[in-house]
Amino acid sequence: MGESIIPLADLRYAAAVPRVPAVAEPANGLLADRLGRPLHDLRISVTDRCNFRCSYCMPKEVFDSSYKFLPQTSLLSFEEITRSARLFVAHGVTKLRLTGGEPLLRKHVEVLIGMLAGLRSVAGEPLDITLTTNGSLLQRKAEALRAAGLRRVTVSLDALDDSIFRRMNDVDFPVADVLSGIDAALRAGLAPIKINMVVKRGTNDDEIVPLARHVRERYGPAVILRFIEYMDVGASNGWRMDEVLPSAEVVQRLSAEFPLEPLDPNASGETAERWRYRDGGGEIGVISSVTRAFCSDCNRARLSTEGKLFLCLFASRGHDLRALLRGDYSDEQIAGAIGLIWRDRDDRYSELRGALGADPGSGERRVEMHYIGG
Ligand code: SAM
Ligand code: SF4
Ligand code: SF4
């Protein structure tokens, strides 16, 4: 690709400074990678910090008081994020997801949402803007987020039982506060709300049915509960295959209690397989990131907290867009660089792992989830 690896003092992961084409092909919303996959979804990590220490993401032993989070100057500013988002949108992105770390910890994040809400897709439509949160600050922030232009939220919630929840977030945070956050988000009109539960066999799999029952009874179809297979992202969580509960088993256990029937996908590239309760109690989703790879239509790019572009959740190298954003480059030049990077993409980690039955990685340290977002 002609890229060079430039070691910088604050560089967390290997990253190449992108090549800027001498004559950039104009962005026309029709970009496709080497496997013919378009670019529709941009996930932006707005902070690498979090007030939880979920063991599958930021285990306490690694992310302790001596861990050095990124300094403020390393973070992309709201202007830099908005400029990047605009260039991605020109290439066909229609959906933006703010994530992290815990995105609601980023000061004045609603100002950023307001800026992003001003963007329009290639077709001239408003973008689908959403945010994934642990819900701890949602009660306080839901109204302001909605007013700024956020349309919906995804709340992570791994258990209904207070003691299991406190153990999983590992900072003794009470489940009642997250449930109040979900109520506040619904009152503010952030709907439909999705709730994501990461299922770890032996840790919270007994919570599948109780949580589903709670969501059905309290919210009905206004809330979609989704079960995510515990993934081997990053290098800190000590992942083991025997702790993964396959989605097929989730569906089986739920069906025994509340009969389910499959639904068609909403859009190509959607990560969740959709099911609905036969009695009209609403919809659920399962995300089989381990047992059923969905790389073949993966249209997601990820922008890290410090402005590196990652083409796959399991990547170990990024592309240092911040170097261009802070250099003397025009929008056309940066859009041209993004175009080159996406056209060269051939990542399909989960598919390869499924085929090989083992980690197909390069041996390099993989990027952590809190840094590029889920
Ligand atoms: N802090 C926010 C939250 O928890 O919703 C946003 C960032 S978090 C990294 C995004 C999503 O990734 C969450 O739904 C979380 O449960 C999920 N996640 C983190 N580590 C995971 C893992 N090892 N396997 C599966 N999902 C994971
Ligand atoms: Fe924080 Fe979300 Fe990671 Fe949990 S999953 S540690 S809430 S970033
Ligand atoms: Fe996309 Fe990579 Fe996940 Fe495959 S493994 S679905 S390419 S993020």
Side-chain angles (χ1 to χ4, degrees):
M1 216 36 259
E3 292 176 328
S4 54
I5 306 291
I6 309 235
L8 296 173
D10 70 347
L11 210 63
R12 216 135 263 243
Y13 299 95
V17 174
R19 186 155 71 83
V20 175
V23 182
E25 245 178 74
N28 57 8
L30 298 174
L31 200 57
D33 73 6
R34 286 214 246 163
L35 305 176
R37 299 170 295 188
L39 172 52
H40 285 164
D41 183 333
L42 180 65
R43 303 187 172 193
I44 306 168
S45 173
V46 293
T47 176
D48 60 340
R49 289 164 201 256
C50 187
N51 53 344
F52 284 12
R53 286 292 178 272
C54 309
S55 63
Y56 52 71
C57 178
M58 296 178 76
K60 235 179 193 164
E61 311 74 60
V62 178
F63 298 92
D64 58 10
S65 56
S66 63
Y67 184 84
K68 297 244 175 325
F69 289 96
L70 294 167
Q72 187 68 26
T73 50
S74 289
L75 312 190
L76 287 191
S77 67
F78 290 171
E79 287 71 21
E80 287 168 334
I81 293 175
T82 308
R83 184 181 181 206
S84 311
R86 185 158 38 77
L87 303 178
F88 279 93
V89 166
H91 277 303
V93 163
T94 53
K95 182 171 168 187
L96 301 177
R97 177 179 295 279
L98 300 189
T99 175
E102 174 45 44
L104 298 187
L105 287 182
R106 177 81 186 248
K107 262 195 202 129
H108 310 301
V109 72
E110 61 281 1
V111 172
L112 172 63
I113 289 166
M115 291 162 75
L116 296 172
L119 301 177
R120 291 293 172 268
S121 72
V122 173
E125 305 285 333
L127 303 175
D128 180 10
I129 304 176
T130 180
L131 175 147
T132 304
T133 173
N134 62 25
S136 58
L137 299 169
L138 202 48
Q139 201 179 356
R140 229 182 297 157
K141 299 221 164 184
E143 281 292 345
L145 294 169
R146 181 72 188 101
L150 191 69
R151 299 214 168 164
R152 40 196 196 86
V153 281
T154 299
V155 182
S156 301
L157 177 61
D158 294 335
L160 190 61
D161 177 89
D162 192 49
S163 59
I164 299 178
F165 185 71
R166 285 178 193 253
R167 212 176 316 132
M168 286 191 79
N169 63 54
D170 216 7
V171 292
D172 211 26
F173 195 87
V175 74
D177 288 15
V178 176
L179 296 173
S180 306
I182 294 171
D183 290 344
L186 279 171
R187 276 197 307 276
L190 290 165
I193 290 185
K194 288 180 183 157
I195 295 182
N196 279 355
M197 172 182 180
V198 175
V199 182
K200 265 184 101 171
R201 195 198 285 276
T203 302
N204 66 339
D205 55 324
D206 285 345
E207 288 292 288
I208 294 170
V209 171
L211 188 55
R213 181 178 296 114
H214 176 81
V215 169
R216 276 167 52 94
E217 288 174 2
R218 186 166 174 90
Y219 308 112
V223 173
I224 301 170
L225 178 58
R226 306 186 318 163
F227 301 90
I228 307 181
E229 287 176 352
Y230 168 44
M231 284 187 283
D232 51 335
V233 281
S236 310
N237 66 10
W239 182 86
R240 294 202 331 247
M241 186 65 199
D242 61 5
E243 289 184 314
V244 177
L245 187 85
S247 294
E249 211 174 313
V250 172
V251 171
Q252 221 173 37
R253 287 196 199 181
L254 274 176
S255 266
E257 199 78 19
F258 315 110
L260 290 166
E261 60 193 9
L263 279 171
D264 287 336
N266 273 332
S268 132
E270 198 175 63
T271 49
E273 198 183 289
R274 301 168 63 214
W275 295 78
R276 87 174 147 218
Y277 297 115
R278 283 182 195 268
D279 67 1
E283 180 179 330
I284 64 134
V286 289
I287 303 182
S288 315
S289 4
V290 177
T291 60
R292 205 179 62 83
F294 34 77
C295 302
S296 61
D297 47 11
C298 176
N299 53 26
R300 294 176 290 284
R302 294 177 159 85
L303 191 58
S304 80
T305 315
E306 55 181 342
K308 286 177 194 140
L309 172 60
F310 286 87
L311 304 179
C312 176
L313 194 48
F314 296 91
S316 42
R317 279 165 191 262
H319 303 262
D320 189 4
L321 277 194
R322 194 187 64 185
L324 302 188
L325 293 164
R326 294 188 181 173
D328 192 15
Y329 295 99
S330 67
D331 283 357
E332 290 68 28
Q333 286 176 307
I334 301 178
I338 294 171
L340 284 185
I341 293 169
W342 191 264
R343 281 189 199 97
D344 198 39
R345 174 184 189 245
D346 62 358
D347 301 67
R348 51 187 189 107
Y349 173 89
S350 293
E351 229 171 64
L352 293 175
R353 181 197 41 214
L356 297 172
D359 182 349
S362 56
E364 286 182 286
R365 186 168 71 112
R366 283 206 303 257
V367 70
E368 296 289 343
M369 188 90 148
H370 71 109
Y371 171 81
I372 51 167

